[in-house]
Amino acid sequence: MKAPRTDRGRLLLVLALATAVTAFTATVPLLRDWFDLRVYYGTVDSWAHHGGRIYDYRVPGTTYGFTYPPFAAVVMRPMALFPLRVVIVVALLLNLAALTVIVRLLAGRSWRGHGWFGCALGACLLALFEPLRDTFSFGQVNLLLMVLVLTDGWLLATGRGRRAGVGIGLAAAVKLTPALFIALLLLAGRRRAAAVATSVAVGVTALAAVVAPDASRFYWTDAMWDTTRVGRLDYVSNQSLQGILARLGEPDRAVWAAAVLLVLAVWAVRARRATAAGNWPAAIALTGLTACLVSPITWVHHLVWLLPAFAVLVRAGHPRVAGALYGVLCTSVVWLWFDHASGVDGFLGGNTYTWITLGLLLWLPAGQPRGGRQALARRTKATAPAPSPAAPAIAPVCRQPGPPSGTGTAAAGATSGPGRGLTRSASSEPTGSTRPAASKPQSSSSRASSYTAKPPPA
């Protein structure tokens, strides 16, 4: 189907798509009712106004409370100054702003060539992406953390590495998952940036220990290691290696540890190749994928970390592959195994998002960026050496008479080189929908784990 050529036709198409997207998001996805944001808000409100302790708070009617490091609570404490409705509006605006920055960083300057029509179509596509829908609906912090990490990645990719590290350090202090990006800096030999990131993470964590000493002591000695605070490992929303093993009924932590070590080994090889080629977008994408796989719990909304991988695929000349995988992540297909994920169909279908993440880790293009290869080819053409009698040109591989040696040399140089029911009220359960509610809400703010898990909250 060809795109409309007139502005009126384009506007009508955008309105039709926006209507379809609105109907889809109002009827198909599960409604989260700002569950994670209510965890954040209730925690800091109890701490600031009622003398409560950070890790003792529970959302009324549930067993879920705050599970992030104490520094996250310190950063979120200003929420207690405002009513919950105001906090929800601010969270929406912050997430929209963060998403805008992320798209700008991932798309580079290419977005300017698409105009308002392309941007509108892109917005409709982003609204369908399940991890993004859940991030907004839960009131999650994923996008804000991604902005911090991608900003450091942009600094490294544009030769401003001396300023990099602060964003990754702050992200790691708010939620432990991004700490893997510090390992990426070390793997790439960016010791200064790694030192800055580590210093920032340690520094703000120490600040939190001064502000909330009891909470800090409890978190680092108890809460962080208590996986029962995070949620059920076998819950279908847990799209990590641990989630697969839990749904298979494999409780042995040694098996999970072995799988994690194998994935980390693959990541180290591929990320090292990417950084050696100067392909920082691919290195960042590979690290985000790996963090999702090795984290004990990776709720669906954490898979926003797959967005950089889709951008890399498009830039590497694989838009159809990116579109197909992105489309699967818009379908909420894993929820077909909401009640149980047994049998071959449950193993394959209930872990669909994990298979996509693993596939991207193994096959994402990690060499020199496409633009870099084209520039190298142009430079090779311009600087191809003149033919030398001492080094005759290789004859063309064909049965026809070959061209003169000068022509053959020039040729060699040229070739080198992501309806109804609009009035439906959100369920009080984090995973509320027309299906039976899970025994635990899906979210990750209420998990003690750094790499997060869910109701299962965050």
Side-chain angles (χ1 to χ4, degrees):
M1 185 181 73
K2 295 183 179 180
R5 295 183 178 181
T6 65
D7 284 344
R8 180 180 180 182
R10 292 172 179 172
L11 178 59
L12 290 175
L13 177 59
V14 168
L15 291 176
L17 288 175
T19 301
V21 169
T22 300
F24 175 78
T25 56
T27 57
V28 176
L30 306 177
L31 301 178
R32 310 304 187 183
D33 196 25
W34 320 109
F35 187 86
D36 287 5
L37 187 60
R38 288 192 287 120
V39 171
Y40 307 151
Y41 182 81
T43 297
V44 296
D45 181 68
S46 173
W47 179 30
H49 300 307
H50 306 288
R53 296 190 298 182
I54 294 174
Y55 297 103
D56 285 347
Y57 174 80
R58 295 291 183 274
V59 174
T62 77
T63 60
Y64 301 99
F66 199 77
T67 60
Y68 292 166
F71 177 66
V74 173
V75 172
M76 296 175 184
R77 181 158 179 157
M79 289 183 181
L81 300 175
F82 306 96
L84 178 59
R85 291 183 179 179
V86 173
V87 173
I88 290 174
V89 172
V90 172
L92 278 173
L93 294 176
L94 286 176
N95 273 328
L96 284 172
L99 181 59
T100 301
V101 175
I102 288 169
V103 171
R104 174 66 179 84
L105 290 173
L106 294 180
R109 298 180 179 179
S110 63
W111 67 275
R112 298 179 181 178
H114 298 291
W116 72 267
F117 180 61
C119 291
L121 293 181
C124 290
L125 291 175
L126 286 171
L128 293 174
F129 193 52
E130 184 178 359
L132 276 178
R133 299 197 313 257
D134 275 4
T135 290
F136 277 87
S137 185
F138 273 122
Q140 256 287 339
V141 299
N142 305 314
L143 297 177
L144 301 177
L145 301 183
M146 187 180 291
V147 166
L148 294 174
V149 172
L150 291 182
T151 298
D152 273 354
W154 176 78
L155 291 173
L156 292 165
T158 55
R160 300 176 176 87
R162 292 181 63 84
R163 304 178 184 178
V166 175
I168 291 175
L170 289 173
V174 170
K175 198 172 183 178
L176 300 181
T177 312
L180 187 60
F181 289 95
I182 299 179
L184 173 64
L185 297 176
L186 292 171
L187 192 67
R190 297 302 184 102
R191 296 180 181 178
R192 176 187 174 87
V196 170
T198 303
S199 299
V200 169
V202 172
V204 297
T205 298
L207 173 63
V210 173
V211 175
D214 292 338
S216 296
R217 186 181 306 108
F218 177 74
Y219 178 80
W220 295 109
T221 61
D222 189 304
M224 186 179 74
W225 313 101
D226 183 5
T227 58
T228 62
R229 295 175 57 91
V230 180
R232 284 171 28 215
L233 294 175
D234 63 343
Y235 189 53
V236 72
S237 183
N238 183 14
Q239 292 291 307
S240 68
L241 296 175
Q242 181 75 288
I244 293 177
L245 293 174
R247 285 186 285 276
L248 287 174
E250 176 53 68
D252 192 346
R253 289 297 183 90
V255 176
W256 172 70
V260 166
L261 290 176
L262 180 59
V263 166
L264 288 175
V266 173
W267 163 76
V269 172
R270 307 215 69 224
R272 182 71 184 88
R273 179 187 175 191
T275 56
N279 194 346
W280 277 99
I284 294 291
L286 288 168
T287 306
L289 295 169
T290 303
C292 290
L293 289 168
V294 303
S295 171
I297 294 185
T298 296
W299 303 130
V300 169
H301 62 76
H302 297 148
L303 297 178
V304 293
W305 286 102
L306 270 62
L307 286 175
F310 293 132
V312 170
L313 280 175
V314 172
R315 286 190 173 188
H318 305 290
R320 293 183 179 179
V321 175
L325 296 179
Y326 185 92
V328 173
L329 280 155
C330 293
T331 62
S332 301
V333 63
V334 297
W335 296 101
L336 294 175
W337 290 269
F338 176 84
D339 295 318
H340 59 84
S342 60
V344 176
D345 64 318
F347 177 70
L348 297 176
N351 301 309
T352 299
Y353 298 169
T354 311
W355 304 136
I356 291 177
T357 307
L358 185 59
L360 287 171
L361 174 65
L362 294 174
W363 291 294
L364 189 74
Q368 190 177 39
R370 194 180 187 188
R373 291 195 300 269
Q374 293 172 343
L376 178 61
R378 288 194 295 269
R379 288 197 299 270
T380 303
K381 291 179 183 180
T383 61
S388 168
I394 300 175
V397 183
C398 64
R399 296 183 179 180
Q400 298 177 359
S405 62
T407 305
T409 305
T415 57
S416 63
R420 297 182 63 183
L422 294 177
T423 58
R424 179 178 62 178
S425 60
S427 167
S428 59
E429 289 295 324
T431 54
S433 72
T434 55
R435 305 189 57 130
S439 60
K440 292 188 179 181
Q442 176 209 344
S443 153
S444 85
S445 71
S446 44
R447 308 248 177 338
S449 167
S450 52
Y451 291 140
T452 59
K454 300 280 151 152

